[in-house]
């Protein structure tokens, strides 16, 4: 498994005509409505130009017109696969501005629902990555397990996908009596399926041949482009805001930051990026178990929610570790109940920008896998 | 096997069913609809869940197609932006008759949460293509997808194939 798949462009130029191909905006493998304008020499990709804006839903305009509480549902619809994680940095930013100290129970509940949603996000990411490589069974396995997570989040918040569960100073609703036991059952199911997926997909020799040595992203390029999340960690850079900045109660948990180690392929290739996600699911399971054990039973999660939010004049930037990478919110307040300006720093948008850099010189079929290994969601790219 | 056959098949050696050709054609048409899946936003994730374990969309006889020329109906799942609208129109025009449209989710029904300030969002996909079934929700539950599919099957099975103009009273 040491063959180099990247074609040397000097030798591949056989005086053939370069052809420009459109991938998308509607294509099952573009993970949304991304359009890639690809220039190919024979079957070798020489240039990739991503075209954005097919899902531009005027997020920042809405933020200027809505009150602070009304913005939370729109934040759900940015990265719609991990809505719980999206809401967190936003409410953290407002709590910082209002100087609210949320109760312990709320912090633990936030950790649990966010880590559950992180598992659900990585399940979709790995499942669709397998789908891109031609493996359909892992998709069915992961979606079977994802549904159990969704059911828990639905019982808590009332919605299956876009939860609107976080509130400034608390949560929308308290936990239900069997919550802790159900979460632990789901964690056991996630672990069992992951053990199966290891044999079925991850160490499958066909999958390794398709993904190892494909789309190598060196740590230097990843840092220069501002990548974050599993894309950066797949390149061997151990950067995780949960550990490095330790917001909320993350400093109380014992967990590792998985990085690409290059046990198959080389560090920074598609296989390693994917492997980071699988390992992160295990780490999320560990965090959930510790959080369930430490979570206090008494306490009202809705007690500190203010009826009307008026943020004092000023600005704040708050970021958190999303499944896709760092998600940051920069809020400028003018002293009213609506923000003057709200800018979101989406991880998918930044991670997408390395596609032209890392996909040059590979086969056209590998481009789809490189895109799948980056794990973008177009709601967050276009916003 | 022999007992089962007798239970299932009361007419030994096959039977005869009398009926209209139209009903037979509609029965076949409504039970094997191939669809062009046009996943745009959040609803597409629920549609993935709909296609996977637990719900199994294919039991309705639906098979996903990636070409509009092979599709019987198109599912618009998500927010239709102005930049995307003309593509949807072209894809709809490429589909062969008879063709149907299911509009999934509040965004494609009416603009949904982006109704008031969404300067780049089309306020309902029915402004550009005719919609047969609307599925409400933001995003709709998989059960709502099932109901929408049943409604489309019902609509197809009641349609006229022959003497359309006479039945409509045009001639």
């Amino acid at each position: 498994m040491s063959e180099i798949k990247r074609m040397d462009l000097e030798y591949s130029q056989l005086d053939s005509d370069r052809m420009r191909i459109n991938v998308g905006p509607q294509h099952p493998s573009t993970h949304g409505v991304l359009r890639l304008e690809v220039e190919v020499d024979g079957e070798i990709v020489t240039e990739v130009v991503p075209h954005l804006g097919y899902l531009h839903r005027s997020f920042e305009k809405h933020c200027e017109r809505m009150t602070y509480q009304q913005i939370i549902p729109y934040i759900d619809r940015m990265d719609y696969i991990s809505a719980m994680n999206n809401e967190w940095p936003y409410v953290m930013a407002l709590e910082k501005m209002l100087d609210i100290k949320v109760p312990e129970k709320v912090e633990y509940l936030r950790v649990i629902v966010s880590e559950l949603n992180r598992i659900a996000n990585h399940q979709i990411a790995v499942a669709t990555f397998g789908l891109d490589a031609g493996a359909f069974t892992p998709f069915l396995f992961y979606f079977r397990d994802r549904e159990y997570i969704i059911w828990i989040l639905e019982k808590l918040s009332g919605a299956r996908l876009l939860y609107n569960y976080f509130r400034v100073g608390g949560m929308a609703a308290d936990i239900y009596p069997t919550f802790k036991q159900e979460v632990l059952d789901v964690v056991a199911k996630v672990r069992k399926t992951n053990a199966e997926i290891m044999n079925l997909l991850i160490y499958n020799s066909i999958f390794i041949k398709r993904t190892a040595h494909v789309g190598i992203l060196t740590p230097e390029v990843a840092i220069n482009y501002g990548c974050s999340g599993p894309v950066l960690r797949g390149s061997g850079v151990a950067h995780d805001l949960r550990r490095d900045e330790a917001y909320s109660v993350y400093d109380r948990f014992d967990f590792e930051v998985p990085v690409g180690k290059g046990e198959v392929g080389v560090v920074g290739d598609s296989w390693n990026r994917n492997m980071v996600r699988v390992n992160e699911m295990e780490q999320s399971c560990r965090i959930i178990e510790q959080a369930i054990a430490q979570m206090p039973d008494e306490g009202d999660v809705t007690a500190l929610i203010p009826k009307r939010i008026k943020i004092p004049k000023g600005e704040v930037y708050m970021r958190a570790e999303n499944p896709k990478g760092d998600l940051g919110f920069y809020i400028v307040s003018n002293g009213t109940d609506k923000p003057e300006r709200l800018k979101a720093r989406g991880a998918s948008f930044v991670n997408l920008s390395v596609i032209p850099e890392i996909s040059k010189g590979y086969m056209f079929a590998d481009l789809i896998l490189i895109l799948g290994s980056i794990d973008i969601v177009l709601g967050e790219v276009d916003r | 096997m022999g007992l089962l056959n007798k239970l299932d098949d009361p007419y030994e050696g096959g039977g005869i069913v009398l009926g209209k050709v139209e009903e037979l054609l509609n029965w076949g048409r409504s039970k094997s609809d191939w669809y062009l899946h046009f996943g745009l936003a959040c609803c597409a994730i629920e549609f993935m869940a709909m296609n996977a374990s637990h719900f199994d969309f294919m039991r309705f006889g639906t098979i996903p197609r990636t070409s509009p020329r092979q599709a019987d109906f198109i599912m618009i799942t998500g927010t239709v932006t102005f930049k995307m609208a003309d593509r949807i129109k072209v894809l709809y025009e490429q589909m062969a008759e008879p063709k149907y449209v299911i509009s999934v989710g509040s965004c494609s029904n009416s603009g949904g949460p982006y109704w008031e300030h969404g300067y780049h969002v089309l306020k309902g996909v029915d402004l550009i293509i005719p919609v047969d079934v609307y599925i409400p929700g933001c995003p709709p539950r998989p059960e709502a997808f099932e109901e929408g599919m049943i409604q489309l099957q019902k609509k197809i099975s009641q349609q006229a194939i022959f003497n359309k103009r006479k039945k409509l009273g045009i001639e």
Side-chain angles (χ1 to χ4, degrees):
Chain A
M1 289 311 302
S2 62
E3 76 263 46
I4 305 298
K5 285 200 175 175
R6 194 165 190 159
M7 300 295 157
D8 199 342
L9 287 179
E10 264 67 41
Y11 295 105
S12 76
Q13 282 169 345
L14 304 170
D15 271 348
S16 58
D17 282 342
R18 302 254 174 129
M19 191 163 59
R20 292 192 93 82
I21 300 175
N22 257 318
V23 185
Q26 166 52 23
H27 189 276
S29 296
T30 54
H31 297 260
V33 284
L34 174 68
R35 180 176 148 221
L36 293 175
E37 195 181 335
V38 187
E39 193 188 69
V40 287
D41 181 358
E43 218 183 318
I44 296 159
V45 175
T46 55
E47 198 189 347
V48 180
V49 184
H51 289 263
L52 310 176
Y54 288 96
L55 195 56
H56 176 58
R57 300 196 277 192
S58 346
F59 169 71
E60 291 179 11
K61 176 77 178 170
H62 282 88
C63 292
E64 289 167 16
R65 295 300 169 119
M66 303 283 175
T67 60
Y68 284 104
Q69 293 101 321
Q70 285 174 327
I71 291 171
I72 296 176
Y74 290 92
I75 287 167
D76 283 342
R77 282 155 184 78
M78 272 172 52
D79 180 358
Y80 36 75
I81 302 176
S82 52
M84 289 284 191
N85 299 71
N86 279 12
E87 293 165 10
W88 202 355
Y90 175 71
V91 294
M92 266 204 300
L94 295 186
E95 280 156 10
K96 197 176 172 187
M97 295 277 265
L98 288 167
D99 205 15
I100 296 176
K101 180 90 179 68
V102 296
E104 287 263 297
K105 192 181 181 186
V106 174
E107 294 281 20
Y108 280 106
L109 185 54
R110 284 179 180 181
V111 168
I112 292 167
V113 292
S114 297
E115 294 302 322
L116 280 175
N117 212 334
R118 188 186 307 275
I119 294 172
N121 174 82
H122 286 341
Q123 282 176 335
I124 289 195
V126 178
T128 50
F129 186 53
L131 213 56
D132 290 342
F136 192 68
T137 314
F139 174 80
L140 294 175
F141 276 31
Y142 269 140
F143 265 77
R144 181 193 62 197
D145 277 15
R146 179 178 170 270
E147 205 68 27
Y148 301 129
I149 296 177
I150 298 286
W151 287 347
I152 289 180
L153 299 180
E154 187 189 356
K155 279 185 197 171
L156 284 171
S157 67
R160 274 174 57 90
L161 193 64
L162 307 171
Y163 308 104
N164 191 12
Y165 186 49
F166 281 56
R167 294 283 187 275
V168 178
M171 305 296 256
D174 206 345
I175 57 170
Y176 53 93
T178 53
F179 172 73
K180 288 183 179 178
Q181 190 51 47
E182 280 182 26
V183 171
L184 292 176
D185 289 349
V186 161
V187 166
K189 277 177 183 146
V190 168
R191 285 202 166 123
K192 188 161 168 269
T193 307
N194 267 0
E196 275 179 89
I197 294 289
M198 283 293 177
N199 293 325
L200 199 62
L201 182 75
I202 305 292
Y203 290 107
N204 185 327
S205 62
I206 303 169
F207 183 71
I208 288 173
K209 281 199 172 169
R210 282 299 308 275
T211 56
H213 298 280
V214 167
I216 298 165
L217 175 65
T218 56
E220 295 79 34
V221 173
I223 292 169
N224 286 347
Y225 274 80
C227 295
S228 50
V231 177
L232 180 64
R233 291 195 281 276
S235 300
V237 185
H239 169 79
D240 191 324
L241 290 179
R242 288 177 295 171
R243 189 194 61 181
D244 298 343
E245 284 188 4
Y247 54 92
S248 186
V249 287
Y250 271 114
D251 50 350
R252 300 182 196 172
F253 304 126
D254 170 35
F255 65 101
E256 288 157 24
V257 178
V259 290
K261 293 199 183 76
E263 61 183 297
V264 173
V266 290
V267 174
D269 65 359
S270 302
W271 190 91
N272 280 288
R273 271 197 290 281
N274 191 52
M275 191 62 192
V276 165
R277 294 197 181 93
V278 179
N279 289 334
E280 266 184 27
M281 278 192 240
E282 169 58 29
Q283 298 305 322
S284 291
C285 290
R286 281 179 63 189
I287 294 174
I288 290 170
E289 281 173 345
Q290 295 169 45
I292 288 276
Q294 296 175 19
M295 185 175 174
D297 278 324
E298 62 280 350
D300 185 7
V301 298
T302 57
L304 284 179
I305 301 173
K307 286 274 177 294
R308 189 175 163 81
I309 296 180
K310 256 193 168 175
I311 306 283
K313 248 186 187 175
E315 52 188 52
V316 66
Y317 182 74
M318 187 56 98
R319 58 180 188 167
E321 183 72 28
N322 243 31
K324 308 263 189 318
D326 299 2
L327 176 71
F329 286 103
Y330 177 64
I331 305 172
V332 181
S333 167
N334 53 7
T336 61
D337 58 347
K338 291 171 186 169
E340 174 88 19
R341 179 92 168 78
L342 200 158
K343 165 84 174 74
R345 184 260 190 218
S348 298
F349 177 71
V350 182
N351 290 349
L352 176 67
S353 64
V354 293
I355 287 273
E357 179 75 25
I358 62 171
S359 54
K360 273 179 204 154
Y362 292 102
M363 291 293 178
F364 187 74
D366 292 337
L367 172 66
I368 301 299
L369 282 170
I370 293 169
L371 189 63
S373 73
I374 298 282
D375 183 29
I376 51 164
V377 59
L378 265 291
E380 202 179 44
V381 173
D382 292 338
R383 291 197 279 277
Chain B
M1 210 44 212
L3 182 68
L4 278 178
N5 269 351
K6 262 183 195 164
L7 286 174
D8 283 345
D9 183 15
Y11 313 103
E12 231 167 89
I16 298 166
V17 177
L18 288 177
K20 292 183 196 159
V21 178
E22 198 171 63
E23 279 172 6
L24 180 70
L25 287 175
N26 277 341
W27 172 77
R29 270 188 338 123
S30 66
K31 295 293 184 286
S32 74
D33 296 308
W34 294 4
Y35 65 96
L36 174 69
H37 177 219
F38 206 81
L40 292 165
C42 336
C43 298
I45 305 299
E46 279 297 72
F47 194 66
M48 273 161 74
M50 177 76 211
N51 267 303
S53 328
H54 286 282
F55 297 106
D56 187 18
F57 195 45
M58 279 194 201
R59 69 199 147 107
F60 289 99
T62 55
I63 299 176
R65 307 308 300 172
T66 43
S67 165
R69 290 160 217 282
Q70 302 166 342
D72 293 311
F73 70 97
I74 180 170
M75 271 200 146
I76 312 285
T77 47
T79 314
V80 184
T81 57
F82 289 148
K83 199 171 178 180
M84 205 62 177
D86 49 349
R87 315 251 165 178
I88 291 178
K89 197 151 184 276
V90 168
L91 281 173
Y92 177 75
E93 281 162 0
Q94 284 177 343
M95 285 166 67
E97 292 275 1
K99 54 191 172 185
Y100 304 93
V101 178
I102 297 185
S103 162
V104 178
S106 302
C107 288
S108 93
N109 289 347
S110 68
Y114 305 96
W115 161 259
E116 199 178 354
H117 304 300
Y119 55 83
H120 191 236
V121 177
L122 190 72
K123 309 299 183 299
V125 75
D126 49 5
L127 294 173
I128 49 168
I129 55 174
V131 175
D132 294 284
V133 177
Y134 296 90
I135 301 178
C138 188
R141 304 176 58 82
E143 289 88 340
F145 280 94
E146 290 170 6
E147 175 65 18
M149 193 59 222
I150 291 167
Q151 291 299 329
L152 182 70
Q153 286 184 340
K154 212 180 260 177
K155 175 167 184 170
I156 294 173
S157 61
Q158 290 168 352
Q159 276 192 324
I161 296 179
F162 310 113
N163 297 325
K164 265 188 193 173
R165 285 162 168 268
K166 204 188 236 171
K167 281 176 184 165
L168 288 170
I170 295 171
E171 275 176 7

